[in-house]
Each structure stands twice: as C-alpha cells, then as structure tokens.
Amino acid sequence: MAHVQPAQLVELALGNAAPDEELTDALRHIEQCDHCRDELLMMTRVVTAARTANLVDLPTAPPERVWRRITRDLSREAPAPPHPTGTHAPGKRKLLAALALAAAVTAAAAAAAHRSRPDRAKTGRGGKRHA
C-alpha cells in the first residue's frame, strides 16, 4: 500500500475518520510504516495542543496592512501549471498537508476559544463577575 494520504492523516488526528475498509487499510499501514506513524503522531500533537489552547494562548491578529499586502502579492502571481501526471509532487503534498493541518488547527482553536469564552454581559476584564 502507498503511504496514507495527508488528508486522511489529518482526519485521523482530528478523530473524524469514518470507520470503513479504507480506514482499516490506513491503520494497518500506519502500524507498519514509521514515516506515516510519525506524521500521524505529529499531527495528533498539533491537534491536541490546539484543542487545549486558551484564548490568551492565541496570537493577536496581524494588522490590516499585512492582509492588504498578502492580497496584493497573491493577485500578482500567475497560477502554477498543473503537475503533468495529475498528482502532486512530494514537496507539494507536504505543503498541502501542512495547509490542511493549519486550517484544521485554526478551526479547532477557534471552536475551543469560543466554547471557553465567558459571557461578556456578566463578566468584565479578567473574567471577574460584576455584582
């Protein structure tokens, strides 16, 4: 079996993988493949860290000028031609996996922060209740 796809490793790390034959094959491969096992372990650590993060642990948002520059720089770039074989090169797969993981971690951190945020009507700064 080929290595487990990065997207499937992300789903496993998030605990979202649906039990089916494909999952069974992936888990069997992970048991025998150091590379895939290490990738899953790393992704699981990131997900765990994101899920246990508090709002104070999250960085502040970058200034608006940063987003404007990113938008400007991206709009100037021409789209890359597709890979001739229709599959992603190994370096691109890692980048796609990292991007997928970053998106998953961001979503998990935002959800955790939203769940742990005190009701602002009843609390002031520092989470102290007003009488």
Side-chain angles (χ1 to χ4, degrees), residues 55-67:
L55 190 56
V56 296
D57 297 330
L58 300 175
T60 59
E64 184 60 33
R65 64 183 166 75
V66 172
W67 292 117

Side-chain angles (χ1 to χ4, degrees), residues 7 10 17 23 42 46 64 78 90 92 98-99 101-102 107 112 115 120 122 126 128:
V10 169
L23 174 63
M42 180 206 50
V46 171
E64 184 60 33
K92 229 177 205 177
L99 290 173
L101 183 59
R115 282 192 306 270
R120 294 194 184 273
K122 295 180 184 174
K128 295 181 182 175

Side-chain angles (χ1 to χ4, degrees), residues 71-90:
T71 303
R72 185 186 70 224
D73 290 349
L74 288 175
S75 65
R76 280 191 280 176
E77 292 181 16
H83 197 272
T85 63
T87 60
H88 298 293

Side-chain angles (χ1 to χ4, degrees), residues 4 26 28 38 44 53 87 103-104 120:
V4 177
R28 194 172 295 127
D38 291 345
T44 302
T87 60
R120 294 194 184 273

